Amino acid sequence: IGVGLVGFGLFFLLFGILLYFDSVLMAFGNLLFLSGLVFIIGFRRTFTFFFQRPKLKGTSFFFGGLIVVLMRWPILGMLLEAYGFISLFR
């Protein structure tokens, strides 16, 4: 179930970008991606991954970008999410 949710999340994100940053598709993709991540590695491990002390800056940018996308500013939100994603996984 988790791999399917992550796959559909990535599909909706890419499809939202291809349709000139459609905010509804991108928000749906983000929510599916995060819920799939929780299904794959579990709630506790997901929470501890995102809220570690050294990764707090990347987490705040990632979730801030998610909120900005939900507020229908998709380009700015995706830029914030991309920076947060890079900060989380470097």
Side-chain angles (χ1 to χ4, degrees), residues 1-10 13 27-47 50 62-63:
I1 293 174
V3 174
L5 287 173
V6 168
F8 277 120
L10 291 175
L13 278 172
F28 193 60
N30 280 326
L31 294 177
L32 283 175
F33 179 76
L34 288 177
S35 63
L37 190 65
V38 169
F39 269 98
I40 290 174
I41 65 173
F43 183 75
R44 180 174 293 163
R45 289 180 69 192
T46 304
F47 186 80
F50 278 111
F62 184 76
F63 285 119

Side-chain angles (χ1 to χ4, degrees), residues 6-68:
V6 168
F8 277 120
L10 291 175
F11 170 75
F12 279 113
L13 278 172
L14 291 175
F15 197 58
I17 290 171
L18 287 175
L19 290 176
Y20 300 110
F21 291 96
D22 184 32
S23 60
V24 175
L25 287 174
M26 291 173 60
F28 193 60
N30 280 326
L31 294 177
L32 283 175
F33 179 76
L34 288 177
S35 63
L37 190 65
V38 169
F39 269 98
I40 290 174
I41 65 173
F43 183 75
R44 180 174 293 163
R45 289 180 69 192
T46 304
F47 186 80
T48 56
F49 172 75
F50 278 111
F51 293 104
Q52 292 175 3
R53 187 99 171 133
K55 296 182 179 183
L56 210 51
K57 179 182 172 185
T59 300
S60 62
F61 273 100
F62 184 76
F63 285 119
L66 177 69
I67 291 170
V68 170

